[in-house]
Amino acid sequence: MSLDKRLGQRFLPYGANYLDWSDMAELAEAVGHGVLFRYQTENESIASRLERRVAERLGAAHVLAVHNCTEALRLALVSTRPRTGDLVHIPATTFVAVAGAVLASGLIPVLVDVDASLSLDTTLLPPDAQRVIVAHMEGTAATLPEGVPYVIEDSAQALGARFPDGRHTGTRGYAGTFSFHHNKVLTSGEGGLVTTNDPAAWHTMRCYHDHGSARVPGRYPTWNADAYYGENFVTSEGVAAIQYQQFRHLDELLAGLERQHAMAMEELPARRDLEVLPRAAGDVKISLRFRWESRELRDAAVAALTAKGIANWTLGKYLLPEHPVLTGRHSLYADGFPWNLAPQGQPLTLSRDGFARTRDLLERTLCVPLSPELPQAEQARAVRTVREVLEAV
């Protein structure tokens, strides 16, 4: 598809542009073996190879492949051995799956307001916080709280991002979670990973994700005398094979994002009523982020970009204090579990102004995705098209 026809529109997000039958040796291998269950292969499974590759690439001690990032979050939470009804502090601005994972684990989410970068404001956390999920939103490496026993990093939108010390997001906390959903940095349609540097946590997560079993590949599972129950979060060889192929292109994809982002920061218009939000060196530059002077201007920019066929999105959908899953507190359990365990008379939100500032920031923010797969000349043309549209708003 030529740039003239697509006008900067992302027909396929990020990693999907790198899917290629000629590059699918692992998938062909899995299909050729006729064994798509990772624990039934004669030799090392592709899923195990994927986990080893990811561990080496990200600098994590242990990696476990699962169906999706929501399951990864649940595994991380359950492995902390909580009591039902325990509180988990989560960002007030993130995808609802984070809250869903907390609730599905029998725990209670506490919404913590965010800072100007839309990352969890660690200064609002109480001194006795035990479990905190920090979301690295929009490729940004968020600040992690100090002194919290269980910090879980939701890196669903930030695969490849690094902290200032060079370490990858998802490797500094108690556990990290990653997504291969269609709209993420790399994709297998669905799919997730959980990382940890704690061998005991990894062992617990590995057992829980396979019915609580003690698993020897190629054999029927066994259960130790002290086994606890678990669920089935085991990935398939087919999905792992696609993820393995995607990882081959991670550095290429990240470099393409960096290149186009650098171009954009030189080209974009200087308007008093428009701020181009900066990114740190270690962020994954998945998008250009704009903050307008007013919501009216933001909405006009959305309309203008959309009319030109240029992909864009806003972030209001991530405001969890207004999400029906949180406001309604409904449950499929007759007794309202786990909401029935929520502490009485204790607020489940932490904000200095009732999220007014955050709501205002979201209402004025606009994101335009970048196109790492395009040649440099076409990336430059796409940036000029965005600039021309924004100048005319």
Side-chain angles (χ1 to χ4, degrees), residues 346-364:
Q346 181 175 336
L348 296 181
T349 59
L350 295 174
S351 174
R352 296 184 179 90
D353 60 4
F355 306 103
R357 175 173 173 272
T358 296
R359 190 176 294 105
D360 172 66
L361 291 176
L362 293 175
E363 288 179 348
R364 295 187 289 110

Side-chain angles (χ1 to χ4, degrees), residues 285-300:
K285 317 299 196 300
I286 63 173
S287 65
L288 301 172
R289 299 174 301 169
F290 304 99
R291 189 158 292 152
W292 292 86
E293 191 175 74
S294 67
R295 177 171 183 169
E296 290 73 22
L297 280 169
R298 193 281 308 271
D299 290 346

Side-chain angles (χ1 to χ4, degrees), residues 2 17 36-37 99 113 134 148 245 264 266 292 311 314 316 339 384:
S2 71
N17 291 279
L36 297 179
F37 181 53
D113 211 345
V134 174
V148 176
Q245 181 271 346
E266 295 289 331
W292 292 86
T314 57
W339 288 116
R384 288 195 296 271

Side-chain angles (χ1 to χ4, degrees), residues 20 48 59 61 160 163 170 204 206 210 222 252 270 278 291 296 381 386:
D20 190 330
S48 293
F163 293 104
T204 299
R206 199 224 60 77
D210 188 21
T222 59
E252 177 185 356
R291 189 158 292 152
E296 290 73 22
R381 291 176 61 196
V386 172

